Amino acid sequence: RTDGSYWEDFNYAISPTEPGSTFKLATMMALLEDKKVSLDQMITLEHGAWKTAGQTVYDSEVHKENEVTVKHAFELSSNVAMAKMVSASYTDNPGQFLRHLKKMRMDTVTGIDLVGERSPVIYKPGGRFWGPTTLPWMAFGYILSVSPLQTTMLYNAIANNGKMMRPYLISAVKEEGVLLREFEPRTVDENICSALTLQQLKGCLEGVCVNGTAKEVFKNSADRVASKKGT
């Protein structure tokens, strides 16, 4: 605070919470890896509202376009598109989608050298919290909890040409100049996805900044930028 006082609080970077729209990168990775969709196929955004299992998925805004490509649906961050694609692709086999989240290490702590990292929460079929709306809501980052650091690991892996690294803060511990312990960068997955999916995802993230929700932010950027806006 400005008066100099302070208090202890959660370390929110390593505390699970609903990731919201940043999670759509994970959804797209699963869909593209399984070849459930192609980026140029068309999808209907249902004018921003889609009913399923007695509930309604809403987009944050009513889009001017209703028939768009899968790629542009990602650029627009459409909840409806993500929910529809995941429902159509994985309702009969939700475990297939969940296995992708496991490969992305969304189901476990990062292992960073900090005290207090809490485990993520991802519901599974057969559990008391699993229902007909769980899968479509997970598609756009709700009804699950992961930490911001887990999300960062995933985005960093895309930026790092598919190689996922374990995060760490301390490179070495020394006492009076004597090295006691050293920490090296550790790879947890050499290839988080196929080369083709990686290329497609980078194109989607760049598209967010050119044709999507972040185009106004980066319209005068001197560099190419890949990003995803989130809740």
Side-chain angles (χ1 to χ4, degrees):
R1 292 180 177 177
T2 55
D3 64 0
S5 63
Y6 67 93
W7 67 96
E8 291 189 7
D9 202 350
F10 283 118
N11 185 340
Y12 291 99
I14 56 176
S15 300
T17 187
E18 287 183 324
S21 289
T22 57
F23 191 78
K24 290 170 184 171
L25 180 66
T27 296
M28 283 300 298
M29 185 185 295
L31 290 165
L32 292 171
E33 277 288 88
D34 289 335
K35 296 183 171 26
K36 299 290 188 181
V37 300
S38 62
L39 293 183
D40 59 356
Q41 80 180 59
M42 302 301 293
I43 186 167
T44 302
L45 302 185
E46 309 294 342
H47 299 288
W50 179 62
K51 289 187 177 181
T52 179
Q55 301 293 321
T56 304
V57 177
Y58 292 101
D59 280 348
S60 60
E61 60 185 37
V62 178
H63 308 293
K64 295 179 181 178
E65 305 162 279
N66 194 43
E67 298 280 340
V68 300
T69 64
V70 167
K71 181 174 184 288
H72 196 42
F74 180 86
E75 293 166 349
L76 295 173
S77 199
S78 172
N79 296 340
V80 168
M82 296 299 130
K84 286 178 66 176
M85 289 189 292
V86 166
S87 293
S89 301
Y90 298 109
T91 294
D92 293 336
N93 186 11
Q96 185 179 6
F97 182 72
L98 296 176
R99 283 192 291 273
H100 284 287
L101 303 189
K102 183 177 180 66
K103 180 170 175 58
M104 297 175 212
R105 300 184 70 82
M106 290 290 179
D107 67 333
T108 185
V109 295
T110 68
I112 192 172
D113 46 331
L114 284 172
V115 174
E117 184 175 18
R118 295 161 58 200
S119 298
V121 178
I122 297 179
Y123 299 126
K124 297 180 180 179
R128 60 179 294 195
F129 296 111
W130 186 273
T133 61
T134 306
L135 196 59
W137 260 253
M138 286 176 65
F140 54 93
Y142 290 85
I143 312 187
L144 78 161
S145 297
V146 299
S147 72
L149 187 59
Q150 288 177 282
T151 300
T152 302
M153 275 185 70
L154 176 61
Y155 278 75
N156 184 68
I158 300 300
N160 201 31
N161 292 320
K163 181 183 289 188
M164 180 174 277
M165 306 296 294
R166 176 180 175 180
Y168 70 106
L169 294 177
I170 300 173
S171 59
V173 177
K174 295 182 179 180
E175 184 176 348
E176 296 182 354
V178 177
L179 180 65
L180 299 180
R181 190 176 179 189
E182 193 169 15
F183 301 88
E184 297 289 340
R186 177 181 168 188
T187 302
V188 295
D189 197 327
E190 286 286 349
N191 296 289
I192 193 67
C193 61
S194 69
L196 176 59
T197 296
L198 182 68
Q199 179 185 9
Q200 292 174 317
L201 292 174
K202 286 184 176 181
C204 287
L205 292 169
E206 288 184 13
V208 170
C209 305
V210 177
N211 301 308
T213 53
K215 65 181 180 180
E216 291 301 316
V217 177
F218 293 107
K219 65 181 179 180
N220 296 318
S221 175
D223 301 302
R224 292 167 60 193
V225 182
S227 77
K228 178 72 186 74
K229 290 183 73 176
T231 306

PDB file of all heavy atoms in Angstrom, residues 1 19 22 29 60 67 73 75 80 89 99 104 112 129 143 148 157 171 203 211 216 220 224:
ATOM      1  N   ARG A   1       0.832  -1.194   0.000  1.00  0.00           N
ATOM      2  CA  ARG A   1       0.000   0.000   0.000  1.00  0.00           C
ATOM      3  C   ARG A   1       0.870   1.249   0.000  1.00  0.00           C
ATOM      4  O   ARG A   1       2.048   1.205   0.356  1.00  0.00           O
ATOM      5  CB  ARG A   1      -0.928   0.006   1.211  1.00  0.00           C
ATOM      6  CG  ARG A   1      -2.007  -1.068   1.180  1.00  0.00           C
ATOM      7  CD  ARG A   1      -2.870  -0.994   2.419  1.00  0.00           C
ATOM      8  NE  ARG A   1      -3.951  -1.972   2.364  1.00  0.00           N
ATOM      9  CZ  ARG A   1      -4.821  -2.171   3.346  1.00  0.00           C
ATOM     10  NH1 ARG A   1      -4.740  -1.463   4.462  1.00  0.00           N
ATOM     11  NH2 ARG A   1      -5.769  -3.068   3.229  1.00  0.00           N
ATOM     12  N   PRO A  19      -9.207 -20.465 -15.906  1.00  0.00           N
ATOM     13  CA  PRO A  19      -8.342 -19.697 -16.821  1.00  0.00           C
ATOM     14  C   PRO A  19      -9.099 -18.871 -17.841  1.00  0.00           C
ATOM     15  O   PRO A  19      -8.532 -17.961 -18.449  1.00  0.00           O
ATOM     16  CB  PRO A  19      -7.514 -20.782 -17.508  1.00  0.00           C
ATOM     17  CG  PRO A  19      -8.402 -21.989 -17.484  1.00  0.00           C
ATOM     18  CD  PRO A  19      -9.167 -21.904 -16.188  1.00  0.00           C
ATOM     19  N   THR A  22      -7.946 -17.793 -22.124  1.00  0.00           N
ATOM     20  CA  THR A  22      -6.572 -18.212 -22.419  1.00  0.00           C
ATOM     21  C   THR A  22      -6.494 -19.725 -22.625  1.00  0.00           C
ATOM     22  O   THR A  22      -5.589 -20.220 -23.292  1.00  0.00           O
ATOM     23  CB  THR A  22      -5.613 -17.797 -21.288  1.00  0.00           C
ATOM     24  OG1 THR A  22      -6.062 -18.351 -20.046  1.00  0.00           O
ATOM     25  CG2 THR A  22      -5.528 -16.281 -21.181  1.00  0.00           C
ATOM     26  N   MET A  29      -5.427 -26.885 -29.591  1.00  0.00           N
ATOM     27  CA  MET A  29      -4.352 -27.853 -29.762  1.00  0.00           C
ATOM     28  C   MET A  29      -4.916 -29.265 -29.825  1.00  0.00           C
ATOM     29  O   MET A  29      -4.532 -30.064 -30.689  1.00  0.00           O
ATOM     30  CB  MET A  29      -3.328 -27.750 -28.627  1.00  0.00           C
ATOM     31  CG  MET A  29      -2.119 -28.655 -28.834  1.00  0.00           C
ATOM     32  SD  MET A  29      -0.966 -28.671 -27.441  1.00  0.00           S
ATOM     33  CE  MET A  29      -0.392 -26.984 -27.457  1.00  0.00           C
ATOM     34  N   SER A  60     -19.020 -13.175 -25.504  1.00  0.00           N
ATOM     35  CA  SER A  60     -18.957 -11.906 -24.778  1.00  0.00           C
ATOM     36  C   SER A  60     -19.581 -10.763 -25.560  1.00  0.00           C
ATOM     37  O   SER A  60     -19.913  -9.724 -24.991  1.00  0.00           O
ATOM     38  CB  SER A  60     -17.500 -11.563 -24.441  1.00  0.00           C
ATOM     39  OG  SER A  60     -16.735 -11.439 -25.619  1.00  0.00           O
ATOM     40  N   GLU A  67     -21.181 -16.782 -39.825  1.00  0.00           N
ATOM     41  CA  GLU A  67     -20.508 -17.927 -40.450  1.00  0.00           C
ATOM     42  C   GLU A  67     -19.044 -17.558 -40.641  1.00  0.00           C
ATOM     43  O   GLU A  67     -18.713 -16.687 -41.446  1.00  0.00           O
ATOM     44  CB  GLU A  67     -21.150 -18.254 -41.800  1.00  0.00           C
ATOM     45  CG  GLU A  67     -22.610 -18.664 -41.713  1.00  0.00           C
ATOM     46  CD  GLU A  67     -22.776 -20.122 -41.298  1.00  0.00           C
ATOM     47  OE1 GLU A  67     -21.797 -20.887 -41.461  1.00  0.00           O
ATOM     48  OE2 GLU A  67     -23.856 -20.479 -40.827  1.00  0.00           O
ATOM     49  N   ALA A  73     -12.903 -17.957 -35.702  1.00  0.00           N
ATOM     50  CA  ALA A  73     -13.639 -18.154 -34.450  1.00  0.00           C
ATOM     51  C   ALA A  73     -12.693 -18.068 -33.261  1.00  0.00           C
ATOM     52  O   ALA A  73     -13.036 -17.500 -32.209  1.00  0.00           O
ATOM     53  CB  ALA A  73     -14.359 -19.497 -34.464  1.00  0.00           C
ATOM     54  N   GLU A  75      -9.809 -16.394 -33.342  1.00  0.00           N
ATOM     55  CA  GLU A  75      -9.381 -14.994 -33.306  1.00  0.00           C
ATOM     56  C   GLU A  75     -10.418 -14.113 -32.611  1.00  0.00           C
ATOM     57  O   GLU A  75     -10.067 -13.160 -31.907  1.00  0.00           O
ATOM     58  CB  GLU A  75      -9.134 -14.495 -34.732  1.00  0.00           C
ATOM     59  CG  GLU A  75      -7.957 -15.166 -35.414  1.00  0.00           C
ATOM     60  CD  GLU A  75      -7.915 -14.929 -36.919  1.00  0.00           C
ATOM     61  OE1 GLU A  75      -8.908 -14.415 -37.473  1.00  0.00           O
ATOM     62  OE2 GLU A  75      -6.884 -15.255 -37.541  1.00  0.00           O
ATOM     63  N   VAL A  80     -18.934 -19.953 -28.015  1.00  0.00           N
ATOM     64  CA  VAL A  80     -19.872 -20.827 -28.715  1.00  0.00           C
ATOM     65  C   VAL A  80     -19.133 -21.782 -29.641  1.00  0.00           C
ATOM     66  O   VAL A  80     -19.398 -22.988 -29.651  1.00  0.00           O
ATOM     67  CB  VAL A  80     -20.901 -19.986 -29.506  1.00  0.00           C
ATOM     68  CG1 VAL A  80     -21.696 -20.863 -30.467  1.00  0.00           C
ATOM     69  CG2 VAL A  80     -21.835 -19.260 -28.551  1.00  0.00           C
ATOM     70  N   SER A  89     -16.841 -33.253 -31.020  1.00  0.00           N
ATOM     71  CA  SER A  89     -15.653 -34.089 -31.203  1.00  0.00           C
ATOM     72  C   SER A  89     -15.405 -35.076 -30.072  1.00  0.00           C
ATOM     73  O   SER A  89     -14.835 -36.151 -30.301  1.00  0.00           O
ATOM     74  CB  SER A  89     -14.411 -33.191 -31.357  1.00  0.00           C
ATOM     75  OG  SER A  89     -14.544 -32.318 -32.451  1.00  0.00           O
ATOM     76  N   ARG A  99      -6.860 -36.553 -22.121  1.00  0.00           N
ATOM     77  CA  ARG A  99      -5.478 -37.021 -22.321  1.00  0.00           C
ATOM     78  C   ARG A  99      -4.603 -35.921 -22.911  1.00  0.00           C
ATOM     79  O   ARG A  99      -3.403 -35.843 -22.614  1.00  0.00           O
ATOM     80  CB  ARG A  99      -5.463 -38.273 -23.198  1.00  0.00           C
ATOM     81  CG  ARG A  99      -5.880 -39.544 -22.464  1.00  0.00           C
ATOM     82  CD  ARG A  99      -5.590 -40.789 -23.263  1.00  0.00           C
ATOM     83  NE  ARG A  99      -6.452 -40.906 -24.439  1.00  0.00           N
ATOM     84  CZ  ARG A  99      -7.653 -41.464 -24.430  1.00  0.00           C
ATOM     85  NH1 ARG A  99      -8.162 -41.933 -23.286  1.00  0.00           N
ATOM     86  NH2 ARG A  99      -8.370 -41.563 -25.533  1.00  0.00           N
ATOM     87  N   MET A 104      -0.323 -31.766 -21.817  1.00  0.00           N
ATOM     88  CA  MET A 104       0.026 -30.356 -21.620  1.00  0.00           C
ATOM     89  C   MET A 104       0.378 -30.052 -20.173  1.00  0.00           C
ATOM     90  O   MET A 104       0.649 -28.899 -19.833  1.00  0.00           O
ATOM     91  CB  MET A 104      -1.141 -29.462 -22.052  1.00  0.00           C
ATOM     92  CG  MET A 104      -1.513 -29.550 -23.510  1.00  0.00           C
ATOM     93  SD  MET A 104      -3.015 -28.561 -23.850  1.00  0.00           S
ATOM     94  CE  MET A 104      -3.748 -29.511 -25.170  1.00  0.00           C
ATOM     95  N   ILE A 112       7.768 -25.839  -9.792  1.00  0.00           N
ATOM     96  CA  ILE A 112       8.653 -24.694  -9.601  1.00  0.00           C
ATOM     97  C   ILE A 112       9.162 -24.652  -8.168  1.00  0.00           C
ATOM     98  O   ILE A 112       8.517 -25.143  -7.239  1.00  0.00           O
ATOM     99  CB  ILE A 112       7.907 -23.379  -9.953  1.00  0.00           C
ATOM    100  CG1 ILE A 112       8.890 -22.212 -10.034  1.00  0.00           C
ATOM    101  CG2 ILE A 112       6.786 -23.102  -8.963  1.00  0.00           C
ATOM    102  CD1 ILE A 112       8.274 -20.925 -10.569  1.00  0.00           C
ATOM    103  N   PHE A 129     -18.929 -34.269  -9.974  1.00  0.00           N
ATOM    104  CA  PHE A 129     -19.062 -32.950 -10.578  1.00  0.00           C
ATOM    105  C   PHE A 129     -19.101 -32.990 -12.107  1.00  0.00           C
ATOM    106  O   PHE A 129     -19.118 -31.948 -12.749  1.00  0.00           O
ATOM    107  CB  PHE A 129     -17.912 -32.042 -10.114  1.00  0.00           C
ATOM    108  CG  PHE A 129     -17.930 -31.779  -8.642  1.00  0.00           C
ATOM    109  CD1 PHE A 129     -16.944 -32.311  -7.817  1.00  0.00           C
ATOM    110  CD2 PHE A 129     -18.929 -31.013  -8.065  1.00  0.00           C
ATOM    111  CE1 PHE A 129     -16.951 -32.072  -6.460  1.00  0.00           C
ATOM    112  CE2 PHE A 129     -18.946 -30.763  -6.700  1.00  0.00           C
ATOM    113  CZ  PHE A 129     -17.955 -31.295  -5.899  1.00  0.00           C
ATOM    114  N   ILE A 143     -15.226 -24.378 -15.450  1.00  0.00           N
ATOM    115  CA  ILE A 143     -15.416 -25.691 -14.798  1.00  0.00           C
ATOM    116  C   ILE A 143     -14.113 -26.484 -14.754  1.00  0.00           C
ATOM    117  O   ILE A 143     -14.090 -27.701 -14.848  1.00  0.00           O
ATOM    118  CB  ILE A 143     -16.548 -26.511 -15.459  1.00  0.00           C
ATOM    119  CG1 ILE A 143     -17.805 -25.656 -15.647  1.00  0.00           C
ATOM    120  CG2 ILE A 143     -16.936 -27.707 -14.591  1.00  0.00           C
ATOM    121  CD1 ILE A 143     -19.030 -26.421 -16.126  1.00  0.00           C
ATOM    122  N   PRO A 148      -2.061 -19.654 -13.274  1.00  0.00           N
ATOM    123  CA  PRO A 148      -1.486 -18.833 -14.340  1.00  0.00           C
ATOM    124  C   PRO A 148      -0.122 -19.336 -14.797  1.00  0.00           C
ATOM    125  O   PRO A 148       0.226 -19.195 -15.975  1.00  0.00           O
ATOM    126  CB  PRO A 148      -1.379 -17.450 -13.691  1.00  0.00           C
ATOM    127  CG  PRO A 148      -2.480 -17.427 -12.684  1.00  0.00           C
ATOM    128  CD  PRO A 148      -2.520 -18.835 -12.137  1.00  0.00           C
ATOM    129  N   ALA A 157       5.739 -22.997 -24.337  1.00  0.00           N
ATOM    130  CA  ALA A 157       6.083 -24.156 -25.166  1.00  0.00           C
ATOM    131  C   ALA A 157       5.791 -23.876 -26.639  1.00  0.00           C
ATOM    132  O   ALA A 157       6.553 -24.282 -27.525  1.00  0.00           O
ATOM    133  CB  ALA A 157       5.319 -25.392 -24.697  1.00  0.00           C
ATOM    134  N   SER A 171      19.038 -20.176 -10.002  1.00  0.00           N
ATOM    135  CA  SER A 171      20.003 -20.913 -10.823  1.00  0.00           C
ATOM    136  C   SER A 171      21.072 -21.579  -9.965  1.00  0.00           C
ATOM    137  O   SER A 171      21.635 -22.615 -10.351  1.00  0.00           O
ATOM    138  CB  SER A 171      20.678 -19.983 -11.831  1.00  0.00           C
ATOM    139  OG  SER A 171      21.347 -18.919 -11.170  1.00  0.00           O
ATOM    140  N   GLY A 203      -0.120 -19.475 -36.100  1.00  0.00           N
ATOM    141  CA  GLY A 203      -0.917 -18.665 -37.017  1.00  0.00           C
ATOM    142  C   GLY A 203      -2.183 -18.139 -36.368  1.00  0.00           C
ATOM    143  O   GLY A 203      -2.581 -16.992 -36.591  1.00  0.00           O
ATOM    144  N   ASN A 211      -6.557  -9.894 -36.912  1.00  0.00           N
ATOM    145  CA  ASN A 211      -7.973  -9.941 -37.299  1.00  0.00           C
ATOM    146  C   ASN A 211      -8.917 -10.191 -36.134  1.00  0.00           C
ATOM    147  O   ASN A 211     -10.116 -10.370 -36.348  1.00  0.00           O
ATOM    148  CB  ASN A 211      -8.193 -11.053 -38.340  1.00  0.00           C
ATOM    149  CG  ASN A 211      -7.356 -10.852 -39.578  1.00  0.00           C
ATOM    150  OD1 ASN A 211      -7.375  -9.786 -40.171  1.00  0.00           O
ATOM    151  ND2 ASN A 211      -6.616 -11.885 -39.975  1.00  0.00           N
ATOM    152  N   GLU A 216      -6.801  -3.998 -32.269  1.00  0.00           N
ATOM    153  CA  GLU A 216      -6.660  -2.576 -31.957  1.00  0.00           C
ATOM    154  C   GLU A 216      -5.427  -2.317 -31.101  1.00  0.00           C
ATOM    155  O   GLU A 216      -4.794  -1.271 -31.203  1.00  0.00           O
ATOM    156  CB  GLU A 216      -7.916  -2.065 -31.245  1.00  0.00           C
ATOM    157  CG  GLU A 216      -9.149  -1.999 -32.132  1.00  0.00           C
ATOM    158  CD  GLU A 216      -8.946  -1.084 -33.334  1.00  0.00           C
ATOM    159  OE1 GLU A 216      -8.402   0.017 -33.150  1.00  0.00           O
ATOM    160  OE2 GLU A 216      -9.337  -1.483 -34.451  1.00  0.00           O
ATOM    161  N   ASN A 220      -0.573  -0.833 -34.648  1.00  0.00           N
ATOM    162  CA  ASN A 220       0.586  -0.024 -35.012  1.00  0.00           C
ATOM    163  C   ASN A 220       1.911  -0.669 -34.601  1.00  0.00           C
ATOM    164  O   ASN A 220       2.953  -0.013 -34.587  1.00  0.00           O
ATOM    165  CB  ASN A 220       0.473   1.369 -34.377  1.00  0.00           C
ATOM    166  CG  ASN A 220      -0.715   2.143 -34.909  1.00  0.00           C
ATOM    167  OD1 ASN A 220      -0.987   2.122 -36.108  1.00  0.00           O
ATOM    168  ND2 ASN A 220      -1.441   2.827 -34.017  1.00  0.00           N
ATOM    169  N   ARG A 224       5.685  -8.494 -35.605  1.00  0.00           N
ATOM    170  CA  ARG A 224       4.627  -9.494 -35.583  1.00  0.00           C
ATOM    171  C   ARG A 224       4.464  -9.993 -34.145  1.00  0.00           C
ATOM    172  O   ARG A 224       5.447 -10.258 -33.460  1.00  0.00           O
ATOM    173  CB  ARG A 224       4.976 -10.671 -36.505  1.00  0.00           C
ATOM    174  CG  ARG A 224       4.988 -10.316 -37.976  1.00  0.00           C
ATOM    175  CD  ARG A 224       5.642 -11.413 -38.799  1.00  0.00           C
ATOM    176  NE  ARG A 224       4.936 -12.680 -38.674  1.00  0.00           N
ATOM    177  CZ  ARG A 224       5.443 -13.842 -39.091  1.00  0.00           C
ATOM    178  NH1 ARG A 224       6.636 -13.891 -39.632  1.00  0.00           N
ATOM    179  NH2 ARG A 224       4.742 -14.959 -38.950  1.00  0.00           N
TER     180      ARG A 224
END
